[in-house]
Amino acid sequence: MAATGAALYLFVTVHLLGNLQVFLGPDAINHYAAALKSVPEILWGARLGLLACVGLHILTTVQLARINNKARPTAYAKKANSASTAASRTMYLSGPTIAAFIVYHLLHLTVGSAHPQFSETDVYSNMVFGFRVWWVSAAYIIAMALLCTHLRHGVQSMFQSLGFNHPKHSPRIQKFANAVGILYFAGFASMPLAALTGILPPFFERL
Amino acid sequence: MKPASMNLTLHVWRQANAAAPGRMERYDAPNVSEDMSFLEMLDVVNEQLISDGKEPIAFEHDCREGICGSCGFMVNGVAHGPQKGTTICQLHMRHFKDGEELFLEPWRATAFPVLKDLVVDRAAFDRIIAAGGYVSVRTGSAPDGNAISVPKEAADIAMDAAACIGCGACVAACPNAAAALFTGAKISHLGTLPQGQAERSRRALRMVEQLSLEQFGSCTNIGECVAACPKQIPLEMIARMNRDHLKAAWTSRGEHRSGGE
Ligand code: HEM
Ligand code: SF4
Ligand code: FES
């Protein structure tokens, strides 16, 4: 779980940096997308690797949930939360929402079947026109907020599971992870917001 | 000055025995002195129940000074009640207000079956200790004092971990009913001392294995255990357990099951 989570975290990082090239204009992002797709072996290797990570991450979650549901058969009449973060208590909510988002997101911007005017090569226009639908943008932004809460607890939990906890370093790692979470949210949310507000104009208005 | 007194309403889990179904029952606790400990307050309620010919509320206790680890139950959903770093026997009634309603429930975990009312069976903890929470030494003649020097840092960590009294509050507070803090404390306690090195990897493998056999949940690093722990064992102890276990799992040649090192 820690290993697949870490791999997905890495993917999200690369994916964010790649996507932010949309602000550099149609050519930059379209060339980048074309480069990603230029070697089918690499493209499909990465796709299958990611799919395996998502699959294993979900499988270990299901196993974990089964063990933990059996560990407390009678619920407390009253139970207070004293120290845990909201992010840590909502992992079973944020996780499945992100999974549902990934499916929608693939249909929207990779396959294109959930996109009103999809182009195989013009990733820039796919994003700009896709995000001009306000509820699509809203769904992306909500999903990204949940992703960042998921990662906020996930990062801390990963270090702990792998046996790393140090009174000096761990608080710094947590602060860093929180900052990164906010930064990722800002980065991902900036794209739908920019398309909605016209900061990212359709390509023909740029001419 | 006469201590202030208060009237409380208790909702207590009553269960005749391990097999019987249980339910919450309501009791009045009138004229509770703020100087009483929580258990003394229950003693007074029980006196009344006994004189009314009713079954007193069963709860576990021994030292009543926070060192034996016998006592413990939930007060309004918080293990050992609202005060940080104390057992329920050390909690005084001045932390409550007149007219408050308190819900008392036993620790709830598959691994801790309820024996009666607020008393649970924590033999699972004993079996985890028996699986590896010891060091093998030659008994008989006493060894020389300070024959083995212990680095100050190791002694500090070991002492922090050794503060665990095995009360079970960590399991009770954990949303997963995991016993990671308890087991982590025991593994860290012996694993940081020079005397504990010989059996270090075997200890981690066996105790963690026993942990899952006992049907405790699996730790998701939430941190509720640390907040509930009367000895404030830090989360770091769980990471130490994971570290020892991971290392042992990678390097073990399988001897840990057969009994020999
Ligand atoms: C606002 C946030 C996001 C935007 C704007 C975005 C944008 C895109 C775009 C444009 C593509 C298609 C690239 C192409 O066809 O060349 C894509 C693919 C993909 N995205 Fe995202 N993405 C976002 C967030 C995420 C997140 C959070 C995840 C996962 C945790 C994710 C997972 C994927 C996956 C798995 C692919 C498919 C890669 C492939 O082609 O195999 N995306 N994204
Ligand atoms: S770790 Fe703390 S809460 Fe858990 S058994 Fe030990 S003393 Fe009790
Ligand atoms: S009775 Fe001994 S710790 Fe509470």
Side-chain angles (χ1 to χ4, degrees), chain A residues 11-12 15 19 33 37 47 50 98 101-102 105-106 109-110 123 127 131 140 144 147 188 191-192:
Chain A
F11 164 74
V12 169
H15 194 50
N19 291 349
K37 289 179 189 159
R47 284 178 174 175
L50 283 170
I98 296 163
F101 164 78
I102 293 175
H105 175 53
L106 289 179
L109 286 178
T110 304
V123 173
M127 281 168 78
F131 288 148
Y140 267 78
M144 290 308 99
L147 175 73
F188 276 123
M191 291 173 267

Side-chain angles (χ1 to χ4, degrees), chain A residues 36-54:
Chain A
L36 285 184
K37 289 179 189 159
S38 57
V39 187
E41 288 83 359
I42 296 181
L43 177 67
W44 280 100
R47 284 178 174 175
L48 291 177
L50 283 170
L51 193 68
C53 283
V54 171

Side-chain angles (χ1 to χ4, degrees), chain A residues 64 67-85 88-89 92 153 156-167, chain B residues 24 74 76-78 103 105-110 171-177 215-218 220-224 227 235-236 238-239 242-243 246:
Chain A
L64 183 75
I67 294 173
N68 289 348
N69 284 338
K70 270 193 283 185
R72 174 159 298 132
T74 318
Y76 287 111
K78 253 194 163 58
K79 180 75 174 79
N81 295 309
S82 306
S84 51
T85 57
S88 73
R89 280 181 266 115
Y92 289 107
H153 176 67
Q156 178 260 344
S157 184
M158 178 192 72
F159 279 107
Q160 181 77 10
S161 298
L162 296 179
F164 187 86
N165 184 326
H166 187 282
Chain B
M24 298 297 280
M74 307 294 276
N76 286 350
V78 181
F103 288 74
E105 292 180 81
W107 298 160
R108 294 212 183 276
T110 309
V171 175
C174 175
N176 308 317
Q215 293 195 293
F216 286 110
S218 193
T220 56
N221 305 314
I222 288 212
E224 286 291 338
L235 211 58
E236 187 188 341
I238 299 179
N242 291 337
R243 197 187 309 167
L246 223 63

Side-chain angles (χ1 to χ4, degrees), chain B residues 80 125 163-171 181-182 185 225 228-231 233:
Chain B
H80 288 300
F125 269 11
C164 169
I165 52 177
C167 65
C170 44
V171 175
L181 194 63
F182 165 78
C225 52
C229 176
K231 300 297 154 187
I233 305 287

